[in-house]
Each structure stands twice: as C-alpha cells, then as structure tokens.
mmCIF file of all heavy atoms in Angstrom:
data_model
loop_
_atom_site.group_PDB
_atom_site.id
_atom_site.type_symbol
_atom_site.label_atom_id
_atom_site.label_comp_id
_atom_site.label_asym_id
_atom_site.label_seq_id
_atom_site.Cartn_x
_atom_site.Cartn_y
_atom_site.Cartn_z
ATOM 1 N N VAL A 513 112.621 131.947 94.198
ATOM 2 C CA VAL A 513 112.005 131.533 92.903
ATOM 3 C C VAL A 513 110.544 131.245 93.143
ATOM 4 O O VAL A 513 109.753 131.714 92.275
ATOM 5 C CB VAL A 513 112.803 130.243 92.449
ATOM 6 C CG1 VAL A 513 111.972 129.659 91.280
ATOM 7 C CG2 VAL A 513 114.163 130.647 92.065
ATOM 8 N N THR A 514 110.170 130.449 94.170
ATOM 9 C CA THR A 514 108.744 130.110 94.400
ATOM 10 C C THR A 514 107.958 131.326 94.742
ATOM 11 O O THR A 514 106.737 131.351 94.317
ATOM 12 C CB THR A 514 108.610 128.982 95.461
ATOM 13 O OG1 THR A 514 109.301 129.444 96.694
ATOM 14 C CG2 THR A 514 109.365 127.759 94.984
ATOM 15 N N ARG A 515 108.479 132.247 95.511
ATOM 16 C CA ARG A 515 107.730 133.341 95.876
ATOM 17 C C ARG A 515 107.312 134.273 94.667
ATOM 18 O O ARG A 515 106.231 134.628 94.466
ATOM 19 C CB ARG A 515 108.488 134.212 96.881
ATOM 20 C CG ARG A 515 107.759 135.342 97.425
ATOM 21 C CD ARG A 515 108.427 136.084 98.575
ATOM 22 N NE ARG A 515 109.797 136.647 98.187
ATOM 23 C CZ ARG A 515 110.870 136.175 98.627
ATOM 24 N NH1 ARG A 515 110.901 135.213 99.577
ATOM 25 N NH2 ARG A 515 111.919 136.678 98.202
ATOM 26 N N HIS A 516 108.458 134.649 93.905
ATOM 27 C CA HIS A 516 108.131 135.618 92.737
ATOM 28 C C HIS A 516 107.542 134.839 91.648
ATOM 29 O O HIS A 516 106.806 135.477 90.866
ATOM 30 C CB HIS A 516 109.392 136.186 92.358
ATOM 31 C CG HIS A 516 109.229 137.215 91.239
ATOM 32 N ND1 HIS A 516 108.630 138.558 91.514
ATOM 33 C CD2 HIS A 516 109.366 137.224 89.915
ATOM 34 C CE1 HIS A 516 108.567 139.255 90.363
ATOM 35 N NE2 HIS A 516 108.945 138.405 89.388
ATOM 36 N N GLY A 517 107.900 133.506 91.590
ATOM 37 C CA GLY A 517 107.348 132.695 90.288
ATOM 38 C C GLY A 517 105.974 132.339 90.539
ATOM 39 O O GLY A 517 105.343 131.885 89.508
ATOM 40 N N LYS A 518 105.377 132.600 91.637
ATOM 41 C CA LYS A 518 103.935 132.127 91.891
ATOM 42 C C LYS A 518 102.965 132.778 91.020
ATOM 43 O O LYS A 518 102.105 132.123 90.493
ATOM 44 C CB LYS A 518 103.536 132.421 93.286
ATOM 45 C CG LYS A 518 102.255 131.836 93.651
ATOM 46 C CD LYS A 518 101.817 132.027 95.150
ATOM 47 C CE LYS A 518 100.466 131.279 95.443
ATOM 48 N NZ LYS A 518 100.079 131.513 96.839
ATOM 49 N N LYS A 519 103.216 133.993 90.606
ATOM 50 C CA LYS A 519 102.142 134.633 89.702
ATOM 51 C C LYS A 519 102.330 133.999 88.263
ATOM 52 O O LYS A 519 101.367 134.349 87.464
ATOM 53 C CB LYS A 519 102.387 136.153 89.635
ATOM 54 C CG LYS A 519 103.766 136.692 89.121
ATOM 55 C CD LYS A 519 103.766 138.179 89.116
ATOM 56 C CE LYS A 519 105.213 138.794 88.663
ATOM 57 N NZ LYS A 519 105.265 140.079 88.750
ATOM 58 N N TYR A 520 103.357 133.408 87.958
ATOM 59 C CA TYR A 520 103.477 132.797 86.683
ATOM 60 C C TYR A 520 103.285 131.221 86.850
ATOM 61 O O TYR A 520 103.487 130.441 85.759
ATOM 62 C CB TYR A 520 104.910 132.937 86.071
ATOM 63 C CG TYR A 520 105.322 134.404 85.778
ATOM 64 C CD1 TYR A 520 106.053 135.115 86.665
ATOM 65 C CD2 TYR A 520 104.653 135.090 84.819
ATOM 66 C CE1 TYR A 520 106.404 136.532 86.454
ATOM 67 C CE2 TYR A 520 105.041 136.471 84.580
ATOM 68 C CZ TYR A 520 105.809 137.201 85.392
ATOM 69 O OH TYR A 520 106.137 138.465 85.131
ATOM 70 N N HIS A 521 102.939 130.690 88.016
ATOM 71 C CA HIS A 521 102.979 129.252 88.216
ATOM 72 C C HIS A 521 104.180 128.627 87.852
ATOM 73 O O HIS A 521 104.267 127.559 87.291
ATOM 74 C CB HIS A 521 101.705 128.606 87.570
ATOM 75 C CG HIS A 521 100.476 129.315 87.824
ATOM 76 N ND1 HIS A 521 100.017 129.412 89.037
ATOM 77 C CD2 HIS A 521 99.451 129.842 87.023
ATOM 78 C CE1 HIS A 521 98.828 130.026 89.094
ATOM 79 N NE2 HIS A 521 98.537 130.299 87.797
ATOM 80 N N HIS A 522 105.337 129.344 88.311
ATOM 81 C CA HIS A 522 106.645 128.779 87.969
ATOM 82 C C HIS A 522 106.993 127.765 89.040
ATOM 83 O O HIS A 522 107.039 128.022 90.131
ATOM 84 C CB HIS A 522 107.662 129.864 88.069
ATOM 85 C CG HIS A 522 108.878 129.561 87.171
ATOM 86 N ND1 HIS A 522 109.210 130.144 85.921
ATOM 87 C CD2 HIS A 522 109.964 128.786 87.405
ATOM 88 C CE1 HIS A 522 110.305 129.755 85.369
ATOM 89 N NE2 HIS A 522 110.831 128.926 86.295
ATOM 90 N N GLY A 523 107.296 126.541 88.540
ATOM 91 C CA GLY A 523 107.510 125.339 89.304
ATOM 92 C C GLY A 523 108.836 125.020 89.549
ATOM 93 O O GLY A 523 109.811 125.779 89.470
ATOM 94 N N LEU A 524 109.120 123.741 89.975
ATOM 95 C CA LEU A 524 110.394 123.305 90.356
ATOM 96 C C LEU A 524 110.566 121.979 89.699
ATOM 97 O O LEU A 524 109.706 121.215 89.293
ATOM 98 C CB LEU A 524 110.495 123.126 91.796
ATOM 99 C CG LEU A 524 110.422 124.247 92.586
ATOM 100 C CD1 LEU A 524 110.287 124.052 94.269
ATOM 101 C CD2 LEU A 524 111.481 125.400 92.416
ATOM 102 N N GLU A 525 111.995 121.645 89.448
ATOM 103 C CA GLU A 525 112.427 120.373 89.002
ATOM 104 C C GLU A 525 113.319 119.750 89.981
ATOM 105 O O GLU A 525 114.199 120.429 90.499
ATOM 106 C CB GLU A 525 113.111 120.536 87.614
ATOM 107 C CG GLU A 525 113.622 119.231 87.069
ATOM 108 C CD GLU A 525 115.077 118.784 87.438
ATOM 109 O OE1 GLU A 525 115.848 119.589 87.930
ATOM 110 O OE2 GLU A 525 115.423 117.574 87.420
ATOM 111 N N ALA A 526 113.198 118.443 90.343
ATOM 112 C CA ALA A 526 113.906 117.787 91.397
ATOM 113 C C ALA A 526 114.513 116.523 90.759
ATOM 114 O O ALA A 526 113.881 115.775 89.932
ATOM 115 C CB ALA A 526 113.121 117.232 92.567
ATOM 116 N N GLY A 527 115.824 116.313 91.004
ATOM 117 C CA GLY A 527 116.534 115.155 90.381
ATOM 118 C C GLY A 527 117.063 114.173 91.461
ATOM 119 O O GLY A 527 117.676 113.231 91.118
ATOM 120 N N SER A 528 116.530 114.321 92.694
ATOM 121 C CA SER A 528 117.001 113.464 93.776
ATOM 122 C C SER A 528 115.923 113.383 94.872
ATOM 123 O O SER A 528 115.072 114.364 94.922
ATOM 124 C CB SER A 528 118.309 113.782 94.352
ATOM 125 O OG SER A 528 118.220 114.967 95.114
ATOM 126 N N LYS A 529 115.974 112.511 95.821
ATOM 127 C CA LYS A 529 115.062 112.458 96.879
ATOM 128 C C LYS A 529 115.138 113.776 97.669
ATOM 129 O O LYS A 529 114.092 114.338 98.107
ATOM 130 C CB LYS A 529 115.191 111.263 97.682
ATOM 131 C CG LYS A 529 114.591 110.075 97.236
ATOM 132 C CD LYS A 529 114.665 108.938 98.206
ATOM 133 C CE LYS A 529 116.068 108.328 98.282
ATOM 134 N NZ LYS A 529 116.074 107.038 99.084
ATOM 135 N N ALA A 530 116.431 114.174 97.996
ATOM 136 C CA ALA A 530 116.552 115.341 98.818
ATOM 137 C C ALA A 530 115.989 116.525 98.124
ATOM 138 O O ALA A 530 115.283 117.391 98.854
ATOM 139 C CB ALA A 530 117.996 115.528 99.184
ATOM 140 N N GLU A 531 116.203 116.652 96.879
ATOM 141 C CA GLU A 531 115.706 117.889 96.166
ATOM 142 C C GLU A 531 114.127 117.794 96.089
ATOM 143 O O GLU A 531 113.499 118.800 96.152
ATOM 144 C CB GLU A 531 116.267 117.900 94.708
ATOM 145 C CG GLU A 531 117.691 118.318 94.666
ATOM 146 C CD GLU A 531 118.234 118.497 93.328
ATOM 147 O OE1 GLU A 531 117.546 118.059 92.390
ATOM 148 O OE2 GLU A 531 119.395 118.953 93.134
ATOM 149 N N LEU A 532 113.556 116.622 95.927
ATOM 150 C CA LEU A 532 112.076 116.342 95.982
ATOM 151 C C LEU A 532 111.420 116.787 97.284
ATOM 152 O O LEU A 532 110.435 117.524 97.404
ATOM 153 C CB LEU A 532 111.645 115.003 95.484
ATOM 154 C CG LEU A 532 110.116 114.723 95.614
ATOM 155 C CD1 LEU A 532 109.472 115.671 94.736
ATOM 156 C CD2 LEU A 532 109.948 113.314 95.196
ATOM 157 N N ILE A 533 112.133 116.385 98.420
ATOM 158 C CA ILE A 533 111.653 116.778 99.756
ATOM 159 C C ILE A 533 111.731 118.295 99.858
ATOM 160 O O ILE A 533 110.762 118.877 100.450
ATOM 161 C CB ILE A 533 112.434 116.008 100.710
ATOM 162 C CG1 ILE A 533 112.021 114.515 100.887
ATOM 163 C CG2 ILE A 533 112.239 116.683 102.182
ATOM 164 C CD1 ILE A 533 112.846 113.570 101.770
ATOM 165 N N ALA A 534 112.746 118.886 99.503
ATOM 166 C CA ALA A 534 112.876 120.292 99.517
ATOM 167 C C ALA A 534 111.764 120.915 98.658
ATOM 168 O O ALA A 534 111.102 121.929 99.203
ATOM 169 C CB ALA A 534 114.251 120.806 99.001
ATOM 170 N N ALA A 535 111.570 120.419 97.515
ATOM 171 C CA ALA A 535 110.604 121.093 96.489
ATOM 172 C C ALA A 535 109.077 120.910 97.159
ATOM 173 O O ALA A 535 108.262 121.832 97.187
ATOM 174 C CB ALA A 535 110.606 120.404 95.192
ATOM 175 N N MET A 536 108.814 119.781 97.671
ATOM 176 C CA MET A 536 107.580 119.539 98.371
ATOM 177 C C MET A 536 107.127 120.427 99.602
ATOM 178 O O MET A 536 106.134 120.857 99.787
ATOM 179 C CB MET A 536 107.389 118.114 98.805
ATOM 180 C CG MET A 536 107.263 117.137 97.628
ATOM 181 S SD MET A 536 107.330 115.327 98.086
ATOM 182 C CE MET A 536 105.788 115.080 99.044
ATOM 183 N N GLY A 537 108.318 120.859 100.341
ATOM 184 C CA GLY A 537 108.235 121.795 101.336
ATOM 185 C C GLY A 537 108.082 123.102 100.939
ATOM 186 O O GLY A 537 107.476 123.902 101.637
ATOM 187 N N MET A 538 108.738 123.537 99.851
ATOM 188 C CA MET A 538 108.835 124.889 99.487
ATOM 189 C C MET A 538 107.664 125.309 98.491
ATOM 190 O O MET A 538 107.216 126.482 98.648
ATOM 191 C CB MET A 538 110.187 125.134 98.678
ATOM 192 C CG MET A 538 111.363 124.956 99.588
ATOM 193 S SD MET A 538 111.471 126.117 100.994
ATOM 194 C CE MET A 538 111.701 127.573 100.170
ATOM 195 N N LEU A 539 107.123 124.393 97.665
ATOM 196 C CA LEU A 539 106.105 124.759 96.630
ATOM 197 C C LEU A 539 104.739 124.803 97.212
ATOM 198 O O LEU A 539 104.382 123.822 97.857
ATOM 199 C CB LEU A 539 106.289 123.704 95.430
ATOM 200 C CG LEU A 539 105.676 124.167 94.182
ATOM 201 C CD1 LEU A 539 106.258 125.402 93.555
ATOM 202 C CD2 LEU A 539 105.670 122.997 93.168
ATOM 203 N N ARG A 540 104.058 125.802 97.010
ATOM 204 C CA ARG A 540 102.671 125.993 97.502
ATOM 205 C C ARG A 540 101.642 126.044 96.434
ATOM 206 O O ARG A 540 100.481 125.848 96.694
ATOM 207 C CB ARG A 540 102.583 127.190 98.409
ATOM 208 C CG ARG A 540 103.425 127.261 99.673
ATOM 209 C CD ARG A 540 103.002 126.135 100.710
ATOM 210 N NE ARG A 540 103.788 126.197 101.872
ATOM 211 C CZ ARG A 540 103.420 127.051 102.948
ATOM 212 N NH1 ARG A 540 102.516 127.868 102.904
ATOM 213 N NH2 ARG A 540 104.223 126.933 104.046
ATOM 214 N N ASP A 541 102.166 126.354 95.243
ATOM 215 C CA ASP A 541 101.185 126.511 94.144
ATOM 216 C C ASP A 541 100.902 125.265 93.346
ATOM 217 O O ASP A 541 101.770 124.629 92.750
ATOM 218 C CB ASP A 541 101.928 127.627 93.186
ATOM 219 C CG ASP A 541 101.069 127.912 91.954
ATOM 220 O OD1 ASP A 541 99.911 127.529 91.910
ATOM 221 O OD2 ASP A 541 101.674 128.567 91.122
ATOM 222 N N THR A 542 99.758 124.806 93.507
ATOM 223 C CA THR A 542 99.264 123.503 92.830
ATOM 224 C C THR A 542 99.139 123.594 91.341
ATOM 225 O O THR A 542 98.884 122.660 90.638
ATOM 226 C CB THR A 542 98.097 122.921 93.458
ATOM 227 O OG1 THR A 542 96.976 123.986 93.445
ATOM 228 C CG2 THR A 542 98.261 122.617 95.003
ATOM 229 N N GLU A 543 99.173 124.827 90.855
ATOM 230 C CA GLU A 543 99.086 125.141 89.402
ATOM 231 C C GLU A 543 100.437 124.915 88.696
ATOM 232 O O GLU A 543 100.562 124.783 87.545
ATOM 233 C CB GLU A 543 98.459 126.497 89.103
ATOM 234 C CG GLU A 543 97.071 126.653 89.371
ATOM 235 C CD GLU A 543 96.166 125.644 88.777
ATOM 236 O OE1 GLU A 543 96.210 125.710 87.511
ATOM 237 O OE2 GLU A 543 95.305 124.897 89.400
ATOM 238 N N ALA A 544 101.525 125.010 89.523
ATOM 239 C CA ALA A 544 102.816 124.977 88.948
ATOM 240 C C ALA A 544 103.202 123.368 88.810
ATOM 241 O O ALA A 544 102.513 122.421 89.446
ATOM 242 C CB ALA A 544 103.816 125.423 89.924
ATOM 243 N N VAL A 545 104.152 123.115 87.965
ATOM 244 C CA VAL A 545 104.568 121.709 87.833
ATOM 245 C C VAL A 545 105.768 121.459 88.795
ATOM 246 O O VAL A 545 106.514 122.279 89.115
ATOM 247 C CB VAL A 545 104.985 121.459 86.290
ATOM 248 C CG1 VAL A 545 103.861 121.357 85.347
ATOM 249 C CG2 VAL A 545 106.039 122.486 85.941
ATOM 250 N N LEU A 546 105.763 120.129 89.117
ATOM 251 C CA LEU A 546 106.825 119.676 89.891
ATOM 252 C C LEU A 546 107.438 118.424 89.168
ATOM 253 O O LEU A 546 106.770 117.266 89.191
ATOM 254 C CB LEU A 546 106.391 119.281 91.309
ATOM 255 C CG LEU A 546 107.423 118.488 92.181
ATOM 256 C CD1 LEU A 546 108.735 119.351 92.355
ATOM 257 C CD2 LEU A 546 106.827 118.322 93.604
ATOM 258 N N VAL A 547 108.469 118.676 88.400
ATOM 259 C CA VAL A 547 109.035 117.613 87.558
ATOM 260 C C VAL A 547 110.016 116.699 88.254
ATOM 261 O O VAL A 547 110.983 117.379 88.870
ATOM 262 C CB VAL A 547 109.687 118.179 86.325
ATOM 263 C CG1 VAL A 547 110.224 117.119 85.367
ATOM 264 C CG2 VAL A 547 108.661 119.078 85.604
ATOM 265 N N CYS A 548 110.026 115.471 88.296
ATOM 266 C CA CYS A 548 110.942 114.538 89.062
ATOM 267 C C CYS A 548 111.702 113.794 87.958
ATOM 268 O O CYS A 548 111.169 112.908 87.244
ATOM 269 C CB CYS A 548 110.048 113.474 89.867
ATOM 270 S SG CYS A 548 109.137 114.371 91.186
ATOM 271 N N ASN A 549 113.009 114.233 87.927
ATOM 272 C CA ASN A 549 113.913 113.517 86.957
ATOM 273 C C ASN A 549 114.882 112.601 87.848
ATOM 274 O O ASN A 549 114.869 112.615 88.996
ATOM 275 C CB ASN A 549 114.736 114.561 86.218
ATOM 276 C CG ASN A 549 113.833 115.248 85.175
ATOM 277 O OD1 ASN A 549 112.953 114.663 84.488
ATOM 278 N ND2 ASN A 549 114.062 116.642 84.990
ATOM 279 N N GLY A 550 115.759 111.983 87.194
ATOM 280 C CA GLY A 550 116.789 111.227 87.865
ATOM 281 C C GLY A 550 116.361 109.769 88.217
ATOM 282 O O GLY A 550 115.168 109.466 88.025
ATOM 283 N N TYR A 551 117.309 109.063 88.688
ATOM 284 C CA TYR A 551 117.005 107.704 89.169
ATOM 285 C C TYR A 551 116.064 107.775 90.444
ATOM 286 O O TYR A 551 116.264 108.415 91.308
ATOM 287 C CB TYR A 551 118.211 106.964 89.454
ATOM 288 C CG TYR A 551 119.071 106.611 88.201
ATOM 289 C CD1 TYR A 551 120.489 107.112 88.323
ATOM 290 C CD2 TYR A 551 118.682 106.057 87.066
ATOM 291 C CE1 TYR A 551 121.281 106.893 87.147
ATOM 292 C CE2 TYR A 551 119.345 105.726 86.012
ATOM 293 C CZ TYR A 551 120.770 106.293 86.048
ATOM 294 O OH TYR A 551 121.606 105.976 84.837
#
C-alpha cells in the first residue's frame, strides 16, 4: 500500500500503539496523512 500509494500520497490509519509503530516504520512519505484513532 505504501509503495504504490506514494505517488498519490496515500497514507495510513492506526487504531492502536502496535499499528502506529508499524505505520511509523513503514510510511516514508511526509505528504501523506497518518491518522491516529482509538483509545
């Protein structure tokens, strides 16, 4: 998703700490959004 989505600045949504840590490690595009939901 992050590789092909880069040309569209397609970002990620994380709903937990584990997902956020995964997203921070996988996402390289600072133009994309990283949305943090959940408690």
Side-chain angles (χ1 to χ4, degrees):
V513 170
T514 55
R515 182 175 61 250
H516 185 76
K518 186 174 182 180
K519 65 181 178 181
Y520 299 105
H521 304 304
H522 204 103
L524 299 172
E525 181 270 342
S528 68
K529 277 187 285 187
E531 289 183 352
L532 177 56
I533 286 173
M536 290 171 67
M538 298 297 294
L539 195 61
R540 298 292 183 88
D541 181 9
T542 55
E543 293 300 308
V545 288
L546 175 52
V547 180
C548 298
N549 291 321
Y551 293 124

